[in-house]
């Protein structure tokens, strides 16, 4: 899901606060599964992450949801994101959700 939240915290800063240190290639051992070598890649320009081992990906909010096992609202609260900022979903995302829903139905 693509969200437009103006006051999202920096992904790298949140990772470091959670004890996940990146190497110079913006890679780390994945916090979601046992890793011997780094497979967790952060894309700072896109503010996204992806693990090539387990396939999990997302932004800072989904990262906190997965790490802490909490819902979206609790993740926003944990990150200190206020409710004053509107959350918008693109029309492309709405069409994608509709197609997925129809396919599953």
């Amino acid at each position: 899901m693509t969200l437009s939240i103006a006051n999202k915290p920096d992904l790298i800063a949140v990772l470091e606060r959670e004890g996940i240190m990146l190497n110079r290639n913006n890679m780390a051992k994945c916090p979601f599964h046992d890793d011997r070598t780094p497979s967790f890649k952060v894309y700072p320009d896109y503010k996204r992450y992806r693990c090539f081992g387990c396939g999990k990906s997302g932004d800072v909010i989904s990262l906190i949801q997965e790490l802490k096992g909490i819902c979206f609202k609790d993740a926003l609260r944990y990150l200190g994101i206020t409710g004053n900022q509107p959350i918008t979903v693109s029309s492309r995302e709405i069409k994608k959700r509709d197609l997925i829903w129809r396919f599953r139905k």
Side-chain angles (χ1 to χ4, degrees), residues 53-73:
C54 65
K56 294 193 187 230
S57 63
D59 64 355
V60 69
I61 298 169
S62 61
L63 174 85
I64 292 301
Q65 283 182 273
E66 284 288 324
L67 280 177
K68 304 295 182 187
I70 57 179
C71 69
F72 181 78
K73 284 184 178 182

Side-chain angles (χ1 to χ4, degrees), residues 19-83:
I20 302 164
M21 303 308 289
L22 300 174
N23 65 19
R24 61 189 165 110
N25 297 325
N26 290 324
M27 294 198 68
K29 291 184 179 181
C30 182
F32 306 121
H33 67 92
D34 288 332
D35 248 354
R36 284 186 285 153
T37 59
S39 64
F40 185 85
K41 174 81 173 166
V42 174
Y43 301 94
D45 294 340
Y46 299 103
K47 299 178 182 178
R48 312 265 312 155
Y49 68 88
R50 175 167 176 73
C51 176
F52 296 103
C54 65
K56 294 193 187 230
S57 63
D59 64 355
V60 69
I61 298 169
S62 61
L63 174 85
I64 292 301
Q65 283 182 273
E66 284 288 324
L67 280 177
K68 304 295 182 187
I70 57 179
C71 69
F72 181 78
K73 284 184 178 182
D74 290 339
L76 292 178
R77 198 173 300 120
Y78 181 85
L79 291 167
I81 299 173
T82 62

Side-chain angles (χ1 to χ4, degrees), residues 74-92:
D74 290 339
L76 292 178
R77 198 173 300 120
Y78 181 85
L79 291 167
I81 299 173
T82 62
N84 299 341
Q85 300 296 324
I87 298 173
T88 59
V89 180
S90 69
S91 60
R92 181 177 173 186

